Amino acid sequence: MAEIAGTMTGSQLEFARRVDATSTNQRALDQFLRGVERRALRMAELACGSRDDALDVVQDAMCAFVKNYAAKPEPDWAPLFHRVLDSRLNDFHRRRTVRNRWLAVFERKEDDDTLDPIEQAQDLQDPGPLLRLAGSEAGKALDAALKALPLRQRQAFLLRMWEGFDVATTARVMQCSEGSVKTHLSRALAALRRALEDHQ
Amino acid sequence: MNGNQHSNDRPAWINRSTQLLDDSVRDLDAVTLSRLNRARQTALAQQRPHAPRVWLLPAGLASACAMLLAVVVWQPHHRSETQPSAAPVAVDDGDSEETSTEFYQNLEFYAWLDAQNKGGDG
């Protein structure tokens, strides 16, 4: 190996060092992306409504993440990846809103602010609606309830409850204040609970 | 930092929801998994370093020399082609037409002058 290194020029040695460092980083990146890709796809699918669009969004997010944040420390990767994904989902949502604006005249969604705060209060003693549903039926009910949520509320729920991020990290991912995260999450929980109760 | 960290202090239906979400990503079909794999590979391919392009400098120099040579060879040839066209332009000015009109107007005078010269010679 030393002989091989001896015959290399300076630029070749530098290149070899870069290849070695990059391959180590690539293995870590590959492992990280393998770990998050399925959940990212699920999040994107809930936001986009179609698997093809979701796969495009996830690939786009992966490319942007690798391009911009691969050199960041590994512990920061998860929030950064979800920040990129959240940004891509917002873009997708915005484009679709513009495309389908004319439809809004015919089907106007209920405004977030019209929720009754009393309804949002949770009863921790009640086991909850999903426990009374079983198997695929519960999965379908949850899927429908999540799809019906506004994008920001759904993201707050998935990032806080499913990904397990704390409020501060979720706020950084969603690029909003911690107060907004708490508001979005509270409304999401109330809406989910109500939707799943209605499903019964 | 993932969904498996189900907390005991939150309502049971939320834990059940996250469990259902976990189940939904566990059983993805082969086509979707393949497309995810391809997406991951595409993303990772962006990061692979490119070999240093040592041939770029000599190639650039050679191109520059070739262009310089082409300009040097072509320029005198181009100049020799354009030079002859300058002479007729210089001769062919507006005076020639005026001169010939004047000549025809004084034709009788020139004929007399010619006759005088011939008479003088003879």
Short mmCIF file of all heavy atoms in Angstrom, two decimals, chain A residues 15 18 22 25-26 29-30 33-34 37-39 41-42 51-52 55 59 63 66 70 122 124 127 130-131 142 161-163 165 189 193, chain B residues 1-3 10-14 16-18 21-22 24-26 28-29 32-33 35 39-40 42-44 46-52:
data_model
loop_
_atom_site.label_atom_id
_atom_site.label_comp_id
_atom_site.label_asym_id
_atom_site.label_seq_id
_atom_site.Cartn_x
_atom_site.Cartn_y
_atom_site.Cartn_z
N PHE A 15 -7.16 12.90 -3.93
CA PHE A 15 -8.39 12.30 -4.47
C PHE A 15 -8.71 11.00 -3.73
O PHE A 15 -9.86 10.75 -3.36
CB PHE A 15 -8.22 12.05 -5.97
CG PHE A 15 -9.41 11.38 -6.59
CD1 PHE A 15 -10.65 12.01 -6.62
CD2 PHE A 15 -9.32 10.11 -7.14
CE1 PHE A 15 -11.75 11.41 -7.19
CE2 PHE A 15 -10.42 9.50 -7.71
CZ PHE A 15 -11.63 10.15 -7.74
N ARG A 18 -10.07 11.71 -0.41
CA ARG A 18 -11.46 12.20 -0.52
C ARG A 18 -12.41 11.04 -0.76
O ARG A 18 -13.50 10.99 -0.20
CB ARG A 18 -11.57 13.22 -1.65
CG ARG A 18 -11.25 14.63 -1.20
CD ARG A 18 -11.32 15.61 -2.34
NE ARG A 18 -12.61 15.61 -3.00
CZ ARG A 18 -12.80 15.93 -4.28
NH1 ARG A 18 -11.77 16.25 -5.04
NH2 ARG A 18 -14.00 15.92 -4.81
N THR A 22 -15.33 10.04 1.67
CA THR A 22 -16.69 10.08 1.12
C THR A 22 -17.38 8.75 1.24
O THR A 22 -18.58 8.69 1.53
CB THR A 22 -16.64 10.52 -0.35
OG1 THR A 22 -15.89 11.71 -0.45
CG2 THR A 22 -18.03 10.77 -0.89
N ASN A 25 -18.62 8.38 4.71
CA ASN A 25 -19.77 9.25 4.87
C ASN A 25 -20.98 8.69 4.12
O ASN A 25 -22.11 8.77 4.59
CB ASN A 25 -19.41 10.65 4.34
CG ASN A 25 -20.51 11.66 4.62
OD1 ASN A 25 -21.06 12.24 3.71
ND2 ASN A 25 -20.83 11.87 5.88
N GLN A 26 -20.71 8.10 2.96
CA GLN A 26 -21.82 7.55 2.15
C GLN A 26 -22.47 6.36 2.83
O GLN A 26 -23.69 6.21 2.76
CB GLN A 26 -21.27 7.12 0.79
CG GLN A 26 -21.08 8.30 -0.16
CD GLN A 26 -21.58 8.02 -1.54
OE1 GLN A 26 -21.43 6.90 -2.02
NE2 GLN A 26 -22.15 8.99 -2.18
N LEU A 29 -24.62 7.82 5.44
CA LEU A 29 -25.78 8.45 4.82
C LEU A 29 -26.78 7.41 4.33
O LEU A 29 -27.99 7.55 4.50
CB LEU A 29 -25.33 9.29 3.62
CG LEU A 29 -25.03 10.77 3.85
CD1 LEU A 29 -24.51 11.39 2.57
CD2 LEU A 29 -26.27 11.51 4.31
N ASP A 30 -26.24 6.36 3.70
CA ASP A 30 -27.08 5.28 3.18
C ASP A 30 -27.90 4.66 4.31
O ASP A 30 -29.11 4.45 4.20
CB ASP A 30 -26.20 4.24 2.49
CG ASP A 30 -27.03 3.17 1.81
OD1 ASP A 30 -27.86 3.52 0.95
OD2 ASP A 30 -26.87 1.98 2.16
N LEU A 33 -30.56 7.17 5.48
CA LEU A 33 -31.69 7.31 4.55
C LEU A 33 -32.56 6.05 4.54
O LEU A 33 -33.78 6.13 4.45
CB LEU A 33 -31.18 7.62 3.14
CG LEU A 33 -30.57 9.02 2.96
CD1 LEU A 33 -30.00 9.19 1.56
CD2 LEU A 33 -31.60 10.11 3.23
N ARG A 34 -31.90 4.88 4.67
CA ARG A 34 -32.67 3.63 4.78
C ARG A 34 -33.61 3.68 5.99
O ARG A 34 -34.72 3.18 5.96
CB ARG A 34 -31.72 2.44 4.98
CG ARG A 34 -31.25 1.79 3.72
CD ARG A 34 -30.27 0.67 4.08
NE ARG A 34 -29.40 0.38 2.97
CZ ARG A 34 -29.70 -0.47 2.00
NH1 ARG A 34 -30.83 -1.12 2.04
NH2 ARG A 34 -28.86 -0.68 1.00
N GLU A 37 -36.51 6.52 5.18
CA GLU A 37 -37.21 6.64 3.90
C GLU A 37 -38.67 6.15 3.94
O GLU A 37 -39.55 6.75 3.34
CB GLU A 37 -36.44 5.91 2.78
CG GLU A 37 -36.35 4.42 2.96
CD GLU A 37 -35.41 3.76 1.96
OE1 GLU A 37 -34.68 4.46 1.25
OE2 GLU A 37 -35.40 2.51 1.90
N ARG A 38 -38.92 5.06 4.67
CA ARG A 38 -40.29 4.52 4.68
C ARG A 38 -41.26 5.47 5.39
O ARG A 38 -42.37 5.71 4.94
CB ARG A 38 -40.31 3.16 5.36
CG ARG A 38 -39.57 2.10 4.58
CD ARG A 38 -39.73 0.78 5.25
NE ARG A 38 -38.97 -0.26 4.55
CZ ARG A 38 -39.30 -1.54 4.56
NH1 ARG A 38 -40.34 -1.94 5.25
NH2 ARG A 38 -38.59 -2.42 3.93
N ARG A 39 -40.79 5.97 6.51
CA ARG A 39 -41.65 6.90 7.27
C ARG A 39 -41.82 8.20 6.49
O ARG A 39 -42.90 8.81 6.50
CB ARG A 39 -41.04 7.15 8.64
CG ARG A 39 -40.90 5.87 9.45
CD ARG A 39 -39.83 6.02 10.50
NE ARG A 39 -40.31 6.70 11.67
CZ ARG A 39 -40.91 6.08 12.68
NH1 ARG A 39 -41.07 4.78 12.66
NH2 ARG A 39 -41.35 6.75 13.73
N LEU A 41 -41.83 8.42 3.28
CA LEU A 41 -42.79 8.12 2.22
C LEU A 41 -44.21 8.16 2.75
O LEU A 41 -45.12 8.69 2.10
CB LEU A 41 -42.48 6.74 1.62
CG LEU A 41 -43.44 6.29 0.53
CD1 LEU A 41 -43.30 7.15 -0.72
CD2 LEU A 41 -43.21 4.83 0.16
N ARG A 42 -44.41 7.62 3.93
CA ARG A 42 -45.75 7.60 4.53
C ARG A 42 -46.25 9.02 4.78
O ARG A 42 -47.39 9.35 4.49
CB ARG A 42 -45.70 6.81 5.85
CG ARG A 42 -47.03 6.52 6.46
CD ARG A 42 -47.70 5.35 5.77
NE ARG A 42 -48.98 5.05 6.39
CZ ARG A 42 -50.15 5.51 5.96
NH1 ARG A 42 -50.18 6.28 4.87
NH2 ARG A 42 -51.27 5.21 6.57
N ARG A 51 -49.13 7.79 -4.17
CA ARG A 51 -47.80 7.23 -3.89
C ARG A 51 -46.74 7.72 -4.87
O ARG A 51 -45.60 7.97 -4.49
CB ARG A 51 -47.87 5.70 -3.91
CG ARG A 51 -46.54 5.06 -3.57
CD ARG A 51 -46.68 3.67 -3.04
NE ARG A 51 -47.21 3.66 -1.69
CZ ARG A 51 -47.37 2.55 -0.97
NH1 ARG A 51 -47.05 1.39 -1.47
NH2 ARG A 51 -47.84 2.60 0.27
N ASP A 52 -47.13 7.90 -6.13
CA ASP A 52 -46.17 8.37 -7.14
C ASP A 52 -45.65 9.76 -6.78
O ASP A 52 -44.44 10.01 -6.80
CB ASP A 52 -46.81 8.40 -8.53
CG ASP A 52 -46.91 7.02 -9.12
OD1 ASP A 52 -46.16 6.13 -8.67
OD2 ASP A 52 -47.74 6.81 -10.03
N LEU A 55 -43.39 9.52 -3.78
CA LEU A 55 -42.03 9.03 -4.10
C LEU A 55 -41.19 10.13 -4.73
O LEU A 55 -40.00 10.27 -4.42
CB LEU A 55 -42.12 7.83 -5.04
CG LEU A 55 -42.43 6.49 -4.37
CD1 LEU A 55 -42.93 5.47 -5.38
CD2 LEU A 55 -41.21 5.94 -3.64
N GLN A 59 -37.78 11.53 -3.06
CA GLN A 59 -36.50 11.55 -3.80
C GLN A 59 -35.92 12.96 -3.85
O GLN A 59 -34.73 13.17 -3.66
CB GLN A 59 -36.70 11.01 -5.21
CG GLN A 59 -35.41 11.13 -6.04
CD GLN A 59 -35.45 10.35 -7.33
OE1 GLN A 59 -36.32 9.53 -7.55
NE2 GLN A 59 -34.48 10.61 -8.19
N CYS A 63 -32.34 14.09 -2.30
CA CYS A 63 -31.30 14.75 -3.11
C CYS A 63 -30.89 16.08 -2.48
O CYS A 63 -29.70 16.37 -2.34
CB CYS A 63 -31.79 14.98 -4.53
SG CYS A 63 -31.92 13.47 -5.49
N VAL A 66 -28.89 15.43 0.79
CA VAL A 66 -27.50 14.98 0.55
C VAL A 66 -26.66 16.12 0.01
O VAL A 66 -25.51 16.31 0.43
CB VAL A 66 -27.49 13.77 -0.42
CG1 VAL A 66 -26.07 13.45 -0.87
CG2 VAL A 66 -28.12 12.56 0.25
N ALA A 70 -25.16 16.90 3.90
CA ALA A 70 -24.42 15.65 4.14
C ALA A 70 -23.20 15.89 5.03
O ALA A 70 -22.76 15.00 5.76
CB ALA A 70 -24.01 15.03 2.82
N GLN A 122 -58.84 16.93 26.11
CA GLN A 122 -58.78 15.47 26.05
C GLN A 122 -59.16 14.84 27.39
O GLN A 122 -58.78 15.33 28.45
CB GLN A 122 -57.36 15.04 25.71
CG GLN A 122 -56.94 15.43 24.32
CD GLN A 122 -55.50 15.09 24.08
OE1 GLN A 122 -54.94 14.23 24.74
NE2 GLN A 122 -54.89 15.77 23.14
N LEU A 124 -58.28 11.92 29.44
CA LEU A 124 -57.22 10.90 29.50
C LEU A 124 -57.74 9.56 30.03
O LEU A 124 -57.08 8.53 29.88
CB LEU A 124 -56.05 11.40 30.35
CG LEU A 124 -55.30 12.60 29.79
CD1 LEU A 124 -54.23 13.05 30.75
CD2 LEU A 124 -54.67 12.26 28.44
N PRO A 127 -60.24 5.34 26.88
CA PRO A 127 -59.24 4.63 26.11
C PRO A 127 -59.12 5.15 24.68
O PRO A 127 -58.08 4.98 24.03
CB PRO A 127 -59.73 3.18 26.10
CG PRO A 127 -61.18 3.25 26.45
CD PRO A 127 -61.32 4.45 27.31
N LEU A 130 -59.63 4.53 18.62
CA LEU A 130 -58.93 3.52 17.82
C LEU A 130 -58.85 2.17 18.51
O LEU A 130 -58.76 1.14 17.87
CB LEU A 130 -57.50 3.98 17.51
CG LEU A 130 -57.34 4.83 16.26
CD1 LEU A 130 -55.89 5.19 16.07
CD2 LEU A 130 -57.85 4.10 15.03
N LEU A 131 -58.89 2.20 19.84
CA LEU A 131 -58.79 0.93 20.57
C LEU A 131 -60.03 0.07 20.38
O LEU A 131 -60.01 -1.13 20.60
CB LEU A 131 -58.54 1.19 22.06
CG LEU A 131 -57.25 1.93 22.36
CD1 LEU A 131 -57.06 2.06 23.86
CD2 LEU A 131 -56.06 1.20 21.76
N LEU A 142 -57.63 5.62 10.59
CA LEU A 142 -56.55 6.56 10.93
C LEU A 142 -56.04 7.27 9.68
O LEU A 142 -55.81 8.48 9.68
CB LEU A 142 -55.41 5.81 11.62
CG LEU A 142 -54.20 6.66 11.98
CD1 LEU A 142 -54.56 7.69 13.04
CD2 LEU A 142 -53.05 5.80 12.48
N MET A 161 -45.55 13.10 17.54
CA MET A 161 -46.03 11.84 18.10
C MET A 161 -45.39 10.61 17.46
O MET A 161 -45.15 9.61 18.12
CB MET A 161 -47.56 11.75 17.94
CG MET A 161 -48.29 12.79 18.69
SD MET A 161 -47.99 12.59 20.46
CE MET A 161 -48.34 14.20 21.08
N TRP A 162 -45.12 10.70 16.14
CA TRP A 162 -44.59 9.52 15.46
C TRP A 162 -43.07 9.54 15.42
O TRP A 162 -42.41 8.57 15.78
CB TRP A 162 -45.18 9.43 14.04
CG TRP A 162 -44.99 8.10 13.39
CD1 TRP A 162 -44.88 6.90 14.02
CD2 TRP A 162 -44.90 7.83 12.00
NE1 TRP A 162 -44.74 5.89 13.10
CE2 TRP A 162 -44.75 6.43 11.85
CE3 TRP A 162 -44.95 8.62 10.86
CZ2 TRP A 162 -44.63 5.82 10.61
CZ3 TRP A 162 -44.85 8.00 9.62
CH2 TRP A 162 -44.70 6.63 9.50
N GLU A 163 -42.50 10.65 14.99
CA GLU A 163 -41.04 10.74 14.92
C GLU A 163 -40.43 10.95 16.30
O GLU A 163 -39.25 10.66 16.50
CB GLU A 163 -40.62 11.89 14.00
CG GLU A 163 -40.87 11.64 12.52
CD GLU A 163 -40.05 10.47 11.99
OE1 GLU A 163 -38.96 10.21 12.50
OE2 GLU A 163 -40.53 9.81 11.05
N PHE A 165 -39.94 13.82 17.92
CA PHE A 165 -39.18 15.06 18.12
C PHE A 165 -39.80 15.86 19.28
O PHE A 165 -41.03 15.83 19.46
CB PHE A 165 -39.21 15.93 16.86
CG PHE A 165 -38.43 15.38 15.70
CD1 PHE A 165 -38.99 15.30 14.44
CD2 PHE A 165 -37.13 14.95 15.86
CE1 PHE A 165 -38.27 14.81 13.37
CE2 PHE A 165 -36.40 14.45 14.80
CZ PHE A 165 -36.97 14.38 13.55
N LEU A 189 -54.80 16.79 17.41
CA LEU A 189 -55.27 15.73 18.32
C LEU A 189 -56.79 15.79 18.47
O LEU A 189 -57.47 14.76 18.44
CB LEU A 189 -54.59 15.87 19.69
CG LEU A 189 -53.09 15.54 19.71
CD1 LEU A 189 -52.51 15.83 21.08
CD2 LEU A 189 -52.85 14.09 19.34
N ARG A 193 -59.23 12.87 17.09
CA ARG A 193 -60.09 12.19 18.05
C ARG A 193 -61.56 12.25 17.60
O ARG A 193 -62.27 11.25 17.61
CB ARG A 193 -59.92 12.84 19.43
CG ARG A 193 -60.59 12.10 20.54
CD ARG A 193 -60.35 12.75 21.88
NE ARG A 193 -61.05 12.00 22.90
CZ ARG A 193 -60.56 10.92 23.48
NH1 ARG A 193 -59.35 10.50 23.17
NH2 ARG A 193 -61.27 10.26 24.37
N MET B 1 -34.86 8.75 18.29
CA MET B 1 -35.83 9.74 17.88
C MET B 1 -36.74 9.17 16.80
O MET B 1 -36.66 9.51 15.65
CB MET B 1 -35.11 10.98 17.36
CG MET B 1 -35.94 12.23 17.48
SD MET B 1 -34.98 13.67 17.11
CE MET B 1 -33.99 13.85 18.57
N ASN B 2 -37.55 8.21 17.20
CA ASN B 2 -38.51 7.67 16.25
C ASN B 2 -39.79 7.28 16.96
O ASN B 2 -39.95 7.45 18.16
CB ASN B 2 -37.91 6.49 15.48
CG ASN B 2 -37.51 5.36 16.40
OD1 ASN B 2 -38.27 5.01 17.29
ND2 ASN B 2 -36.34 4.80 16.20
N GLY B 3 -40.68 6.73 16.17
CA GLY B 3 -42.00 6.45 16.67
C GLY B 3 -42.07 5.33 17.68
O GLY B 3 -43.10 5.12 18.30
N ARG B 10 -49.06 9.52 27.61
CA ARG B 10 -49.99 10.08 26.64
C ARG B 10 -51.14 9.09 26.39
O ARG B 10 -50.97 7.89 26.64
CB ARG B 10 -49.28 10.47 25.34
CG ARG B 10 -48.66 9.35 24.58
CD ARG B 10 -47.78 9.91 23.47
NE ARG B 10 -47.40 8.84 22.56
CZ ARG B 10 -46.49 8.98 21.61
NH1 ARG B 10 -45.87 10.13 21.45
NH2 ARG B 10 -46.20 7.99 20.81
N PRO B 11 -52.27 9.59 25.89
CA PRO B 11 -53.44 8.72 25.75
C PRO B 11 -53.15 7.46 24.93
O PRO B 11 -52.35 7.49 23.99
CB PRO B 11 -54.43 9.62 25.01
CG PRO B 11 -54.01 11.00 25.31
CD PRO B 11 -52.54 10.97 25.46
N ALA B 12 -53.85 6.41 25.29
CA ALA B 12 -53.59 5.12 24.66
C ALA B 12 -53.91 5.13 23.16
O ALA B 12 -53.25 4.46 22.38
CB ALA B 12 -54.41 4.04 25.35
N TRP B 13 -54.92 5.91 22.77
CA TRP B 13 -55.29 5.91 21.34
C TRP B 13 -54.19 6.55 20.48
O TRP B 13 -54.04 6.20 19.31
CB TRP B 13 -56.65 6.61 21.12
CG TRP B 13 -56.65 8.10 21.30
CD1 TRP B 13 -56.85 8.78 22.45
CD2 TRP B 13 -56.42 9.08 20.29
NE1 TRP B 13 -56.77 10.13 22.23
CE2 TRP B 13 -56.51 10.34 20.91
CE3 TRP B 13 -56.16 9.01 18.93
CZ2 TRP B 13 -56.34 11.52 20.22
CZ3 TRP B 13 -56.00 10.19 18.22
CH2 TRP B 13 -56.08 11.44 18.86
N ILE B 14 -53.39 7.44 21.08
CA ILE B 14 -52.28 8.02 20.32
C ILE B 14 -51.18 6.97 20.14
O ILE B 14 -50.60 6.83 19.06
CB ILE B 14 -51.73 9.28 21.04
CG1 ILE B 14 -52.81 10.36 21.04
CG2 ILE B 14 -50.49 9.80 20.33
CD1 ILE B 14 -52.41 11.63 21.75
N ARG B 16 -51.68 3.85 20.04
CA ARG B 16 -52.23 2.91 19.06
C ARG B 16 -52.09 3.48 17.63
O ARG B 16 -51.78 2.76 16.69
CB ARG B 16 -53.71 2.65 19.39
CG ARG B 16 -54.45 1.81 18.38
CD ARG B 16 -54.24 0.34 18.62
NE ARG B 16 -55.13 -0.46 17.77
CZ ARG B 16 -54.71 -1.35 16.91
NH1 ARG B 16 -53.42 -1.60 16.76
NH2 ARG B 16 -55.58 -2.04 16.20
N SER B 17 -52.29 4.79 17.49
CA SER B 17 -52.15 5.44 16.17
C SER B 17 -50.73 5.29 15.64
O SER B 17 -50.51 4.93 14.48
CB SER B 17 -52.48 6.93 16.28
OG SER B 17 -53.78 7.11 16.71
N THR B 18 -49.76 5.59 16.51
CA THR B 18 -48.37 5.50 16.06
C THR B 18 -47.98 4.05 15.76
O THR B 18 -47.20 3.78 14.84
CB THR B 18 -47.41 6.10 17.11
OG1 THR B 18 -47.64 5.46 18.36
CG2 THR B 18 -47.60 7.58 17.24
N LEU B 21 -49.29 3.35 12.38
CA LEU B 21 -48.42 3.98 11.37
C LEU B 21 -47.16 3.15 11.16
O LEU B 21 -46.70 2.97 10.02
CB LEU B 21 -48.07 5.41 11.80
CG LEU B 21 -49.18 6.44 11.67
CD1 LEU B 21 -48.82 7.73 12.41
CD2 LEU B 21 -49.47 6.76 10.20
N ASP B 22 -46.60 2.64 12.25
CA ASP B 22 -45.42 1.76 12.14
C ASP B 22 -45.76 0.53 11.30
O ASP B 22 -44.96 0.11 10.44
CB ASP B 22 -44.94 1.31 13.52
CG ASP B 22 -44.21 2.43 14.26
OD1 ASP B 22 -43.74 3.35 13.58
OD2 ASP B 22 -44.13 2.36 15.49
N SER B 24 -48.00 0.26 9.03
CA SER B 24 -48.26 0.59 7.62
C SER B 24 -46.98 0.73 6.81
O SER B 24 -47.00 0.52 5.60
CB SER B 24 -49.08 1.88 7.54
OG SER B 24 -48.29 2.98 7.90
N VAL B 25 -45.87 1.10 7.45
CA VAL B 25 -44.63 1.24 6.67
C VAL B 25 -43.83 -0.07 6.65
O VAL B 25 -42.87 -0.20 5.90
CB VAL B 25 -43.71 2.37 7.21
CG1 VAL B 25 -44.40 3.70 7.10
CG2 VAL B 25 -43.27 2.11 8.63
N ARG B 26 -44.25 -1.02 7.47
CA ARG B 26 -43.51 -2.29 7.53
C ARG B 26 -43.81 -3.15 6.30
O ARG B 26 -42.95 -3.87 5.83
CB ARG B 26 -43.88 -3.04 8.81
CG ARG B 26 -42.80 -4.01 9.25
CD ARG B 26 -43.08 -4.57 10.62
NE ARG B 26 -43.04 -3.54 11.65
CZ ARG B 26 -43.95 -3.41 12.62
NH1 ARG B 26 -44.99 -4.21 12.69
NH2 ARG B 26 -43.83 -2.44 13.51
N LEU B 28 -44.49 -2.61 2.97
CA LEU B 28 -44.52 -1.95 1.66
C LEU B 28 -44.26 -2.98 0.56
O LEU B 28 -43.49 -3.94 0.76
CB LEU B 28 -43.46 -0.85 1.59
CG LEU B 28 -43.74 0.42 2.41
CD1 LEU B 28 -42.55 1.35 2.36
CD2 LEU B 28 -44.99 1.13 1.91
N ASP B 29 -44.87 -2.76 -0.62
CA ASP B 29 -44.69 -3.71 -1.72
C ASP B 29 -43.30 -3.56 -2.35
O ASP B 29 -42.61 -2.56 -2.15
CB ASP B 29 -45.79 -3.50 -2.77
CG ASP B 29 -45.77 -2.10 -3.31
OD1 ASP B 29 -46.23 -1.18 -2.60
OD2 ASP B 29 -45.28 -1.89 -4.42
N THR B 32 -42.52 -0.43 -4.61
CA THR B 32 -42.26 0.80 -3.84
C THR B 32 -40.88 0.76 -3.20
O THR B 32 -40.14 1.76 -3.23
CB THR B 32 -43.34 0.97 -2.75
OG1 THR B 32 -44.62 0.94 -3.37
CG2 THR B 32 -43.18 2.27 -2.01
N LEU B 33 -40.52 -0.41 -2.65
CA LEU B 33 -39.20 -0.53 -2.02
C LEU B 33 -38.10 -0.33 -3.05
O LEU B 33 -37.08 0.31 -2.78
CB LEU B 33 -39.06 -1.90 -1.36
CG LEU B 33 -39.90 -2.11 -0.09
CD1 LEU B 33 -39.75 -3.52 0.43
CD2 LEU B 33 -39.50 -1.11 0.99
N ARG B 35 -38.32 1.45 -5.81
CA ARG B 35 -38.26 2.86 -6.18
C ARG B 35 -37.62 3.70 -5.08
O ARG B 35 -36.88 4.65 -5.36
CB ARG B 35 -39.67 3.38 -6.50
CG ARG B 35 -40.19 2.83 -7.82
CD ARG B 35 -41.52 3.44 -8.19
NE ARG B 35 -41.44 4.87 -8.45
CZ ARG B 35 -42.49 5.62 -8.74
NH1 ARG B 35 -43.68 5.09 -8.78
NH2 ARG B 35 -42.33 6.90 -8.98
N ALA B 39 -34.30 5.92 -5.50
CA ALA B 39 -34.26 7.34 -5.08
C ALA B 39 -33.07 7.59 -4.16
O ALA B 39 -32.36 8.59 -4.29
CB ALA B 39 -35.56 7.68 -4.35
N ARG B 40 -32.83 6.62 -3.27
CA ARG B 40 -31.70 6.77 -2.33
C ARG B 40 -30.38 6.76 -3.08
O ARG B 40 -29.49 7.58 -2.82
CB ARG B 40 -31.75 5.64 -1.30
CG ARG B 40 -30.83 5.85 -0.12
CD ARG B 40 -31.01 4.78 0.93
NE ARG B 40 -30.69 3.45 0.47
CZ ARG B 40 -31.54 2.47 0.27
NH1 ARG B 40 -32.82 2.65 0.48
NH2 ARG B 40 -31.16 1.28 -0.16
N THR B 42 -29.87 7.53 -6.19
CA THR B 42 -29.75 8.77 -6.97
C THR B 42 -29.24 9.90 -6.09
O THR B 42 -28.37 10.68 -6.50
CB THR B 42 -31.13 9.17 -7.55
OG1 THR B 42 -31.63 8.06 -8.30
CG2 THR B 42 -31.03 10.38 -8.46
N ALA B 43 -29.77 9.97 -4.88
CA ALA B 43 -29.35 11.03 -3.96
C ALA B 43 -27.88 10.85 -3.57
O ALA B 43 -27.11 11.81 -3.56
CB ALA B 43 -30.23 11.04 -2.73
N LEU B 44 -27.51 9.61 -3.28
CA LEU B 44 -26.13 9.36 -2.85
C LEU B 44 -25.12 9.57 -3.97
O LEU B 44 -23.98 9.94 -3.73
CB LEU B 44 -26.00 7.93 -2.30
CG LEU B 44 -26.70 7.68 -0.96
CD1 LEU B 44 -26.67 6.21 -0.60
CD2 LEU B 44 -26.07 8.50 0.15
N GLN B 46 -24.96 11.88 -5.99
CA GLN B 46 -24.56 13.29 -6.07
C GLN B 46 -23.31 13.56 -5.27
O GLN B 46 -22.59 14.51 -5.53
CB GLN B 46 -25.66 14.17 -5.47
CG GLN B 46 -26.91 14.23 -6.29
CD GLN B 46 -27.88 15.20 -5.65
OE1 GLN B 46 -27.94 15.33 -4.44
NE2 GLN B 46 -28.64 15.88 -6.47
N GLN B 47 -23.09 12.72 -4.26
CA GLN B 47 -22.02 13.03 -3.31
C GLN B 47 -20.69 12.41 -3.73
O GLN B 47 -19.65 12.79 -3.20
CB GLN B 47 -22.42 12.50 -1.93
CG GLN B 47 -21.92 13.37 -0.81
CD GLN B 47 -21.63 12.57 0.43
OE1 GLN B 47 -21.84 11.36 0.47
NE2 GLN B 47 -21.15 13.22 1.44
N ARG B 48 -20.72 11.42 -4.66
CA ARG B 48 -19.47 10.74 -5.03
C ARG B 48 -18.53 11.75 -5.68
O ARG B 48 -18.93 12.49 -6.56
CB ARG B 48 -19.76 9.59 -5.98
CG ARG B 48 -20.46 8.47 -5.25
CD ARG B 48 -20.63 7.22 -6.06
NE ARG B 48 -21.51 6.34 -5.32
CZ ARG B 48 -22.73 5.96 -5.70
NH1 ARG B 48 -23.20 6.36 -6.86
NH2 ARG B 48 -23.48 5.18 -4.95
N PRO B 49 -17.23 11.74 -5.26
CA PRO B 49 -16.31 12.71 -5.83
C PRO B 49 -15.94 12.35 -7.26
O PRO B 49 -15.85 11.18 -7.61
CB PRO B 49 -15.08 12.60 -4.92
CG PRO B 49 -15.15 11.22 -4.38
CD PRO B 49 -16.60 10.85 -4.29
N HIS B 50 -15.74 13.36 -8.09
CA HIS B 50 -15.29 13.13 -9.46
C HIS B 50 -13.77 13.15 -9.49
O HIS B 50 -13.14 13.88 -8.75
CB HIS B 50 -15.84 14.22 -10.37
CG HIS B 50 -17.33 14.27 -10.37
ND1 HIS B 50 -18.10 13.30 -10.96
CD2 HIS B 50 -18.21 15.14 -9.81
CE1 HIS B 50 -19.38 13.58 -10.78
NE2 HIS B 50 -19.47 14.69 -10.08
N ALA B 51 -13.19 12.31 -10.36
CA ALA B 51 -11.73 12.27 -10.49
C ALA B 51 -11.24 13.64 -10.95
O ALA B 51 -11.91 14.31 -11.73
CB ALA B 51 -11.35 11.22 -11.51
N PRO B 52 -10.06 14.08 -10.46
CA PRO B 52 -9.56 15.38 -10.89
C PRO B 52 -9.31 15.38 -12.39
O PRO B 52 -8.68 14.48 -12.91
CB PRO B 52 -8.26 15.55 -10.11
CG PRO B 52 -7.91 14.19 -9.63
CD PRO B 52 -9.17 13.41 -9.52
#
